[in-house]
Structures are given as structure tokens and as C-alpha cells.
Amino acid sequence: MTDLQKEIADFENVKTEEDLKKMEIRVFLSGKYDKGNAVLSIMAGAGGQDARDWATMLLRMYQRYGDRKGFKVAILNETALEVKGPYAYGLLKKENGVHRLVRISPFSAQNLRHTSFALVEVMPEISSQDQAELQIKPEDLAIDTYKSSGPGGQNVNKRMTAVRITHLPTKIIVSCQSERSLAQNKEAAMTLLYSKLYQFKEQAKEKERAKLKGEPVAIEWGSQIRSYVLHPYKLVKDVRTNVETSNAEKVLDGGLDEFIEAEIKLINE
């Protein structure tokens, strides 16, 4: 069945307003990799233990979002997720940017309010053709193995099954410890590396285009896209679309549809 035939079949199966809403969103997702899988990487910013905890909360939020959408979600390591399902990348791609949390720090003996930041990167799982164009040479890779600290049973945790790969020319580092074997973890880490290298190339092109146009080059770490306030009141607000809700618990439990759909429609207006 061709892509066109699949889309026609999807429209024929529309029975409810919710089905129609899903199809409407898909119409906006026509980018090269929008229909495919996504890889999320989350990095803690300034803020020490609070920031690291915030990165973990975001990882869980996107994991729960994927579960709600019926996607297959795999934790590659403590900072990365693989999300597989129709339009996973298209739906998640605009989550790129800095996410800000304000709360009473659970790590403060004085119960002080603390602000934490984390950077979310969303990358497509790229095609084999684009992988070939990236031309990763074996001599450009430093591969280390270590004992897995994640789930998988005692046997996995005792063996050197986890993999860390450093791409020497760009200093990009990826790792995976979620699979049961060294070969599986290496394959998953390479998938993550290809996605990061693809994004690295696209960002370099965008920055070069901005320079040629005389436009200021955006500093990605400073592009705060959403604030999550848990104290002294509860409010989650997206600074791009002004969509907001006081139901912060629902959002942190993966209830992101309102925010994601608003951003998709905004960039297509």
C-alpha cells in the first residue's frame, strides 16, 4: 500500500471528532521525516541536583506522552528516548529548546524556591540513504564498553553490555545501555549518533544561512520555549503560542496534546 493509499484509508476511517482532529494535525506534518520515528535527548542545565532531577522529570513526561499516543518508547540511557510510531517526529520536533521549572526544591533543607533548566533536543531517526551520506569512518569513532546500570536483570548488569561512542571530529558522545547485548546497544547508540550528526549538519546550514542574510544566529540554549511553575501557583505556559494551563500534573504526566497541536498549527499559519 502506497503512502497515498494509506492516507485515503485513514480518511475513510474517520468516525469521530477526535479522529478528524488527528487527521487535521497530520495534514500539517509534511516535512521530510515528519512521518517517522524520533529520538529525544535531554540535558540538564544550570542548577545542580535540581536540574538533573528536572531532566529526569522531562524524560518521564515524554515517555508518558508516547505511551498515551500508542507509540513504542524505549529508554536508550538516562538522558535519551527512542519514540517509534506514525508521525512521532512530526509531533515532537517543536519540543526542541529550553524548558524551565520553578518549584520548591526537594533538595533544599530550607524549602527554598528554585529555578531549573533543561535542554530538549528532538531528532529524526534518519534514513539509510542519509546515513550513507554522513559517511562515518571507523577511525573517527572511540567506542567504550561498561557495565549496564539499567534494567535487564542481574546477568545484564554484571556484563559489559553498555556502549559509549564518541565521534571524534565533532566530539558528539552517545551511549546506550537498555538492550540485553553489547551488539544491540551498539546498534542503538549508532542510530542515536546518526540522528545527532544529521541535526548537527542541519544546524550548521541554518546558522550559515542566517549569517549570509545578516540575521542574528540563534543560541539554542537560550531559546526558552516553555515554563512549568509549581510554586507559588501552578501554571504551564508556552512562550511561543501563549497556550497555558494550571493543570501542571496532567502536563508532566504526558498531557502535551494542547501545546504540541498549537505549535504545529502556528508554524503552518
Side-chain angles (χ1 to χ4, degrees):
M1 184 181 289
T2 66
D3 287 345
L4 179 58
Q5 288 172 326
K6 288 179 182 178
E7 289 178 7
I8 292 173
D10 286 340
F11 274 109
E12 290 176 344
N13 289 328
V14 170
K15 295 182 175 64
T16 66
E17 185 177 341
E18 184 64 25
D19 291 336
L20 185 61
K21 189 176 180 181
K22 289 179 181 177
M23 293 306 302
E24 179 189 17
I25 292 298
R26 289 185 178 186
V27 168
F28 293 134
L29 302 178
S30 58
K32 182 177 181 180
Y33 285 108
D34 282 357
K35 294 182 180 181
N37 303 327
V39 179
L40 278 75
S41 179
I42 303 173
M43 293 172 285
Q49 193 171 5
D50 277 283
R52 291 190 293 272
D53 187 55
W54 174 222
T56 300
M57 290 169 64
L58 285 171
L59 195 76
R60 179 188 178 278
M61 181 181 78
Y62 290 114
Q63 184 179 14
R64 293 290 296 119
Y65 172 77
D67 292 341
R68 284 169 176 255
K69 305 299 285 186
F71 296 150
K72 182 179 179 182
V73 182
I75 298 176
L76 299 177
N77 56 52
E78 64 273 11
T79 63
L81 286 176
E82 182 181 56
V83 185
K84 291 189 174 184
Y87 294 91
Y89 177 66
L91 291 169
L92 287 165
K93 64 182 181 180
K94 300 309 293 184
E95 292 294 291
N96 266 315
V98 174
H99 294 244
R100 170 178 172 261
L101 172 69
V102 180
R103 65 172 175 174
I104 295 294
S105 171
F107 309 105
S108 170
Q110 293 79 30
N111 290 323
L112 299 176
R113 190 168 65 175
H114 192 90
T115 300
S116 304
F117 297 90
L119 177 66
V120 175
E121 291 184 328
V122 185
M123 299 154 285
E125 187 176 275
I126 68 171
S127 66
S128 56
Q129 179 180 350
D130 281 332
Q131 286 185 9
E133 290 178 3
L134 287 171
Q135 297 181 337
I136 298 179
K137 301 175 183 178
E139 58 267 28
D140 289 339
L141 301 178
I143 302 176
D144 301 303
T145 60
Y146 57 99
K147 292 182 180 179
S148 172
S149 60
Q154 292 181 348
N155 187 48
V156 170
N157 294 340
K158 287 179 180 178
R159 296 170 54 199
M160 305 290 279
T161 57
V163 175
R164 181 186 299 108
I165 300 176
T166 303
H167 184 250
L168 300 175
T170 61
K171 302 297 187 292
I172 292 174
I173 300 174
V174 297
S175 65
C176 184
Q177 60 180 27
S178 62
E179 304 295 340
R180 296 187 63 84
S181 73
L182 180 65
Q184 289 173 318
N185 279 323
K186 182 178 179 182
E187 182 180 357
M190 285 301 297
T191 297
L192 180 55
L193 178 60
Y194 275 115
S195 294
K196 281 186 172 285
L197 284 174
Y198 178 82
Q199 185 188 52
F200 182 83
K201 281 184 61 179
E202 292 302 303
Q203 288 176 340
K205 289 179 185 177
E206 190 60 39
K207 289 178 180 179
E208 186 60 31
R209 283 194 290 266
K211 287 180 182 178
L212 291 173
K213 292 179 181 179
E215 299 172 356
V217 178
I219 301 172
E220 300 298 330
W221 189 251
S223 57
Q224 180 176 313
I225 65 167
R226 192 175 300 142
S227 290
Y228 307 70
V229 180
L230 304 183
H231 185 84
Y233 51 85
K234 292 186 178 180
L235 179 70
V236 180
K237 181 172 182 177
D238 195 291
V239 301
R240 302 161 298 178
T241 61
N242 288 323
V243 170
E244 61 181 58
T245 178
S246 60
N247 195 345
E249 290 84 0
K250 179 182 177 181
V251 175
L252 292 172
D253 196 43
L256 292 166
D257 283 335
E258 184 179 8
F259 293 95
I260 287 176
E261 290 168 10
E263 179 58 25
I264 290 172
K265 292 178 181 178
L266 177 66
I267 62 177
N268 286 279
E269 287 181 350

